[in-house]
Amino acid sequence: SVSNVIFALLEGDVMYLETLAQTLYWTAYIGPTDENEHEREFSNCPPTKLSPDQTKAAYSRTMAEGPLLLLREASRYNKIGQTLFAAFRTDCQFYHLLVQRLLRLMAREALGTSTGTGIDGTNKLGKMARNILQDGILGGEASIPTSTMSTTAAHHILGHAAEVLSSPKKVTNDAILQLLQGPDE
């Protein structure tokens, strides 16, 4: 069950949390090898940066059925799920990159990209990211809109999330909510 996985993540080395975070923010290219026209962008990306956004159905399916699903399910568990997200906040040196990826998925959903909307319209990565942010990262303490954000806010996130959330200590509920609202909204 999900609770057993959460317990294992919490009881193990912090490397477990960092590895889970890396599967989302530092993802190698996932898709048909003959369609990887940007291979250098992925192979030259250091593990301390976000990998480029991806658009292939294989990526969407992998994220929707793997790490995003695990985090979404964890966010549904009150105490144990919140303990997991607290561990990410306090122990994971890549927490800010994880949150940036979730925000980027939401932004890409608002802009109608295939990564944000998913492979067939049913596995919406943006919606999953929104649920994780609302119930896990923000801990239900702040409310975010249940629908997609404005395109202005989406462009603001894509252009400024990396500078606003440049380290784990800068990831606060206020900073996240400000990014979600966009500039002067």
Side-chain angles (χ1 to χ4, degrees), residues 66-112:
L68 283 174
L69 179 61
L70 175 61
L71 291 178
R72 190 189 75 200
E73 292 301 313
S75 70
R76 294 179 176 180
Y77 285 81
N78 291 335
K79 290 182 182 179
I80 189 70
Q82 287 310 307
T83 303
L84 176 67
F85 287 101
F88 271 115
R89 276 190 292 281
T90 59
D91 298 335
C92 182
Q93 65 178 321
F94 307 117
Y95 178 63
H96 61 298
L97 297 171
L98 169 65
V99 174
Q100 286 177 38
R101 175 64 71 208
L102 294 172
L103 288 167
R104 290 185 72 80
L105 288 171
M106 290 175 61
R108 292 172 61 77
E109 175 193 35
L111 297 175

Side-chain angles (χ1 to χ4, degrees), residues 28-40:
Y29 172 78
I30 299 173
T33 55
D34 61 337
E35 295 180 23
N36 183 7
E37 64 276 0
H38 304 292
E39 184 174 348
R40 282 197 183 104

Side-chain angles (χ1 to χ4, degrees), residues 3 17 32-33 66-67 74 90 103 115 119 152-153 156 161 180 182-183:
S3 60
L17 294 175
T33 55
T90 59
L103 288 167
T115 303
I119 45 180
T152 303
H156 183 67
L180 288 169

